Structures are given as structure tokens and as C-alpha cells.
């Protein structure tokens, strides 16, 4: 990421800083690359369609979701590369300055060769 990456990451995290937006990202991530129609997503979340549109626009501006229209329906999908880059920025250097990993899910532990 660029030198101003902390600013970019902060804006992405701010876009996620709402329970409805977090729930929407989780639903869209679960749906995979095909995404979900906005109405179906609103139904799953128990959200009013106009309120959900507001939240999805915030996520889209942050680059965390994308949309496309098919006939009268608007489909939203998670931008997996952006989400993975965000998590990598937060934990990608996990334990790099340590002789031990913090646990089995430590990203740095994956790159450490087995001691045979």
C-alpha cells in the first residue's frame, strides 16, 4: 500500500463502523462473487430498502462493495480484494518481529517452514 495507506484504511474502517454495514458485508461475503439482489439483502438483514441503499453507498464509496443492474434489480457483491487488503494491512505483519507466532491463525506462521 502507499504511504497514505493508513488514511485509506481508516476511511474503509469508518465505512464499516456501523452494525448494518458490517452485517451487509458478512452477508455479501457469504454470497460469494455473484452477490445478492438489494431486496434480498434487505430482507435478510431486516432493513428498510432505502436505509440499506444508504449504507451500501457508503460501502461502495469506500471500495468495499460493487453493484450492477440486471433488469429492474440491483445486485451488490463484496469486493474481496479490497477486504483482503484491509485485513492484510491490519494483521499482515503479525509477529514479524517475534520469534514465536501468536497462535495457529497467525499469518506469519503460515510462511514459516516446518522445523524437521
Amino acid at each position: 500500500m502507499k504511504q497514505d495507506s493508513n488514511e485509506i484504511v481508516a476511511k474503509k474502517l469508518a465505512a464499516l463502523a456501523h452494525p448494518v454495514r458490517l452485517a451487509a458485508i458478512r452477508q455479501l461475503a457469504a454470497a460469494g462473487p455473484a452477490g445478492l439482489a438489494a431486496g434480498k439483502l434487505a430482507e435478510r438483514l431486516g432493513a428498510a430498502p432505502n436505509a440499506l441503499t444508504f449504507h451500501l453507498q457508503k460501502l461502495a464509496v469506500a471500495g468495499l462493495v460493487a453493484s450492477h443492474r440486471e433488469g429492474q434489480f440491483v445486485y451488490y457483491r463484496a469486493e474481496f480484494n479490497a477486504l483482503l487488503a484491509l485485513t492484510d494491512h491490519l494483521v499482515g505483519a503479525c509477529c514479524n518481529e517475534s520469534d514465536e507466532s501468536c497462535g495457529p491463525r497467525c499469518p506469519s506462521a503460515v510462511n514459516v517452514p516446518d522445523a524437521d
Side-chain angles (χ1 to χ4, degrees), residues 1 9 12-13 16 64 81-90:
M1 290 193 156
V9 168
K12 290 180 186 301
L13 290 172
L16 287 169
L64 299 173
N81 287 337
L83 290 168
L84 292 171
L86 180 61
T87 57
D88 187 54
H89 182 82
L90 295 172

Side-chain angles (χ1 to χ4, degrees), residues 22-113:
L22 282 173
I25 282 289
R26 290 183 55 87
Q27 287 292 319
L28 293 172
L36 290 170
K40 183 70 169 176
L41 182 58
E43 182 182 302
R44 285 186 179 188
L45 297 175
N50 60 339
L52 183 59
T53 298
F54 168 80
H55 290 299
L56 291 169
Q57 287 174 346
K58 291 275 189 189
L59 293 169
V61 167
L64 299 173
V65 301
S67 66
H68 71 277
R69 182 173 288 280
E70 287 184 23
Q72 64 182 9
F73 299 103
V74 177
Y75 286 81
Y76 288 88
R77 63 178 166 74
E79 286 288 351
F80 291 101
N81 287 337
L83 290 168
L84 292 171
L86 180 61
T87 57
D88 187 54
H89 182 82
L90 295 172
V91 297
C94 181
C95 299
N96 277 353
E97 296 180 9
S98 174
D99 292 336
E100 337 174 14
S101 74
C102 59
R105 295 186 66 192
C106 180
S108 296
V110 173
N111 299 321
V112 177

